[in-house]
Amino acid sequence: MTLTLDVNGERHVLEVDPTRRLLGVLRDDLALTGAKLGCGEGACGACAVLLDGVPVVSCLLPVGAIAGRSVTTIEGLGETATSLQQAFVTEDALQCGFCTPGQVVSATALLQATSQPSRDEIRVAMAGNLCRCGAYPKIERAILRASGRAVT
Ligand code: FES
Ligand code: FES
């Protein structure tokens, strides 16, 4: 199947099996390896990308179902993500870092929708992103810091 996909603002015309998952197309065909394969079952969020601005798990998404739509990966996020990544470093919000790209993608979507989220709003928005290293309190602090809220 030939399909068109906008990825990080660039139009791609792909010849692909439409049942292939978006994560595999991003990593193997487009060399965008920021999104990670964790569980492969939609449960961990390591593969999160934005689809028309909304966070989705790319490991479950058949690429044929999203023809013509717009995908943003961690590589294509803008200024909000840069601030978030700096805040993750400042707050020491990662250990192995495997979950971090997905965390930053979901947090970017949150801050784009709600510039000053509460702690509860952060917890709800980040509920689909697991961290096997258990960095959750520091991840929450990093998102607060990136939103310009006082971190206590
Ligand atoms: S790898 Fe996609 S949700 Fe875990
Ligand atoms: S920092 Fe290791 S999985 Fe989150």
Side-chain angles (χ1 to χ4, degrees):
M1 171 182 182
T2 303
L3 66 82
T4 303
L5 209 55
D6 286 337
V7 182
N8 298 336
E10 191 177 334
R11 178 148 295 196
H12 295 271
V13 179
L14 302 167
E15 198 61 47
V16 290
D17 175 343
T19 65
R20 283 183 62 202
R21 300 306 192 243
L22 174 61
L23 179 62
V25 173
L26 292 172
R27 292 181 57 86
D28 300 334
D29 298 26
L30 301 180
L32 293 168
T33 55
K36 306 300 184 206
L37 176 60
C39 66
E41 297 177 348
C44 76
C47 63
V49 299
L50 301 182
L51 180 64
D52 297 331
V54 176
V56 295
V57 285
S58 60
C59 68
L60 292 183
L61 205 53
V63 73
I66 60 165
R69 296 180 67 182
S70 175
V71 175
T72 308
T73 69
I74 182 81
E75 292 91 342
L77 293 176
E79 186 58 33
T80 306
T82 305
S83 304
L84 271 164
Q85 288 174 74
Q86 185 55 56
F88 268 63
V89 171
T90 302
E91 292 295 339
D92 193 24
L94 63 157
Q95 292 185 41
C96 75
F98 191 81
C99 71
T100 307
Q103 304 276 6
V104 170
V105 167
S106 294
T108 297
L110 170 64
L111 294 184
Q112 286 175 343
T114 309
S115 62
Q116 300 235 308
S118 66
R119 285 182 183 270
D120 282 348
E121 287 172 322
I122 292 173
R123 287 173 192 151
V124 169
M126 303 302 293
N129 290 83
L130 305 186
C131 174
R132 62 188 170 185
C133 301
Y136 298 113
K138 293 179 177 179
I139 291 169
E140 190 179 302
R141 288 169 61 93
I143 296 169
L144 282 172
R145 176 177 290 280
S147 74
R149 304 284 288 277
V151 180
T152 55

